[in-house]
Amino acid sequence: MAVGKNDFLPEESFKSWGNYVNALKETPARLADRLLTRSSVEAELEVKARSENEMKRTLSWWDLIWFGMGAVIGAGIFVLTGREARDAAGPAVVISYAVSGFSALLSVFCYTEFAVEIPVAGGSFAYLRVELGDFMAFIAAGNILLEYIIGGAAVARTWTSYFATLCNHTSDEFRITVHHLAEGYNQLDPIAVGILAIICAIAVLSTKGSSRINYIASVVHIVVILFIIVCGIIKADTKNYAPFAPFGPRGIFKASAVLFFSYVGFDAVSTMAEETKNPAKDIPIGLVGSMVITTIIYCLMAVTLCLMQPYQTIDPDAPFSRAFEIVGWGWAQYIVAAGALKGMTSVLLVSAVGQARYLTHIARTHMMPPWFAKVDTKTGTPINATIVMLAATAVIAFFTDLGILSNLLSISTLIIFMLVAVALLVRRYYVSGETTTENRNKLVVFLILIIGSSVATAAYWGVSQSGWIAYCITAPMWLLSTFGLWVFVPHARKPKLWGIPLVPWLPSTSIAINIFLLGSIDKDSFIRFGIWSGFLLLYYFFFGLHASYDTAKEFEGKAMHDGRLRKVEEGQVSATNLA
């Protein structure tokens, strides 16, 4: 089938250069419209039709649990554990994993309520678009896509390293060094590209097929992890656990911020809501169950590693393989390497499925070209989105060193998870046309205080090495703000099918922890995050804004013309029944 301009820019603003110039002149007014416009659940469900074909509902809670574990148990635990134990936390790395896991679990609760109430493929993009508006949703979605691409590239390059270990070679022997390229971009990795191509073919053919392959890989992976834990404890020496926290609390939280990468990926499961047989039952069990199991596994593996050898001697690149070699079980390093490869294959597969569905839903709103939203009739999968996302991942994996990639991973994820928690509070406490102005204003004030006190706490943690006075102000401010929201602002909406408990306390705690962990991330990561966000803004102002504006107005006009006016976008369309 031929692909033309209308597959990418079919909107009225791009029909001619004159239209485009006029659209650019209207940028301020259109931006104001998009900033103030919140989508509705009905609108998010309606845009599924723009994919031309429905995704097939084939997944159960059992599939989602294995997808969840397959999405996160991979490169993070096998690569970062040794590095953070040796350089940042010592044996207390188990606490770092527990803190990161608790933060991720709170985010899982928030994602679960949204995924059940808004069962579409857009994940956090759809949730934020409904509650915080188009503009915030686009910025968030751009960073989620960046996270998927860079995370996939990092895992693919790590896959090459473990494959080399399994073959009794170094990773450098499996890469091509090009000396005239810049340092960090001069070790070309064709194996990483090859594994991504295979993953792409599997993800394109069938979601259920992907689930079966992920299930098999995850079962083998879990068996290998149990082998590591049991055999590692057999060779354990409790003397290696002293001192427990040689770097103090600051080292624990610094490691926790880095190790959050080990939990990245579970949100991919929420993007599969359209393909889940019974979202109200399957998604809560699948998401929460997989996260609890994953956190327990991570903590047990961290304990095992630090009991096998002194933290100072842990190998930063292949910690578990080398640990077995040190205790005299050299044969076990091959089992560990094989298990790591299985885990990383699962991560790549689930990421491929999830990232394509994010892009599909974004394209349905025309913030990205609608060509990406097409779902294939035969396979029931978004082929275009899958191929393009994995092609971008392969290009970065081919050139870019793991050290450069890892600096960008946690920051965007923590910000997205914080925004989803904010969006959940907005969802529970504000309904357009029903919430009074007084209650709306109180909600805004309390949210500003919750976020502000959390940012102040994280900033003070980042700049002060030993101070404590500011915490005596910021912590009570967060507590009183959350208490004020709980007492003085009535709930405007109750979840229809499944809801997070202890609102507003759990979402507010999620906001605070995610922001606090940001305070332990290095300056360079924030600079890169700022550069990427700047690029997103340029794209949005010149293309995404005008495409989504035209699409929204066209959709609104069609609804009015058909005599079935809906509340397409809150605050934009009258509720008058034209029929």
Side-chain angles (χ1 to χ4, degrees), residues 5 75 114 138 232 241 249 270 301 357 369 375 385 399 413 437 444 460 470 476 479 494 500 509 512 572:
K5 172 180 172 293
F114 273 120
F138 177 79
Y241 237 53
S270 71
M301 290 184 72
R357 279 139 188 82
V375 175
F399 289 100
T413 307
T437 301
V444 171
Y460 190 68
L479 185 64
K494 292 184 178 179
I500 181 174
T509 303
Q572 294 295 312

Side-chain angles (χ1 to χ4, degrees), residues 134-145:
D134 269 19
F135 178 73
M136 191 62 70
F138 177 79
I139 295 300
N143 281 286
I144 283 288
L145 293 178

Side-chain angles (χ1 to χ4, degrees), residues 193-207:
V193 175
I195 187 64
L196 287 169
I198 295 171
I199 292 294
C200 181
I202 296 170
V204 160
L205 290 176
S206 168
T207 303

Side-chain angles (χ1 to χ4, degrees), residues 11 24 32 48 68 121 149 152 168 199-200 228 249 297 299-300 311 320 363 395 483 503 541-542 548 563 570:
E11 300 82 15
L24 291 178
K48 288 198 293 184
I149 291 173
N168 267 329
I199 292 294
C200 181
I228 292 172
I297 288 174
C299 290
L300 288 175
Y311 75 90
F320 290 96
V395 169
F483 181 79
V503 175
F541 289 146
F542 286 98
S548 60
E570 297 183 51

Side-chain angles (χ1 to χ4, degrees), residues 471-548:
Y471 302 134
C472 297
I473 300 172
T474 59
M477 184 184 297
W478 172 85
L479 185 64
L480 291 173
S481 302
T482 307
F483 181 79
L485 181 58
W486 182 45
V487 172
F488 296 111
V489 184
H491 281 226
R493 178 192 281 116
K494 292 184 178 179
K496 298 176 183 178
L497 299 173
W498 189 92
I500 181 174
L502 300 176
V503 175
W505 294 101
L506 289 188
S508 182
T509 303
S510 179
I511 293 169
I513 293 180
N514 286 330
I515 293 177
F516 181 77
L517 291 177
L518 285 171
S520 298
I521 294 178
D522 63 281
K523 180 182 68 174
D524 289 342
S525 295
F526 281 98
I527 293 173
R528 294 186 180 98
F529 176 78
I531 292 172
W532 172 246
S533 296
F535 172 79
L536 288 178
L537 288 174
L538 287 175
Y539 173 84
Y540 185 73
F541 289 146
F542 286 98
F543 295 100
L545 168 63
H546 307 294
S548 60

Side-chain angles (χ1 to χ4, degrees), residues 22 90 151 162 174 190 255 260 274 276 305 314 318-319 332 393 438 476 512 538:
N22 289 333
Y162 271 88
F174 280 37
F260 199 85
E274 280 185 42
T276 302
L305 178 64
I314 293 176
T393 303
E438 179 185 0
L538 287 175

Side-chain angles (χ1 to χ4, degrees), residues 80 84 100 253-262 410 517 520-521:
L80 297 177
E84 296 307 311
S100 295
F253 285 108
K254 181 181 178 182
S256 184
V258 175
L259 293 173
F260 199 85
F261 167 51
S262 301
S410 291
L517 291 177
S520 298
I521 294 178

Side-chain angles (χ1 to χ4, degrees), residues 443-489:
L443 171 63
V444 171
V445 169
F446 286 130
L447 284 177
I448 291 174
L449 289 174
I450 289 170
I451 296 171
S453 59
S454 301
V455 170
T457 302
Y460 190 68
W461 173 264
V463 300
S464 175
Q465 295 297 315
S466 58
W468 56 270
I469 295 177
Y471 302 134
C472 297
I473 300 172
T474 59
M477 184 184 297
W478 172 85
L479 185 64
L480 291 173
S481 302
T482 307
F483 181 79
L485 181 58
W486 182 45
V487 172
F488 296 111
V489 184

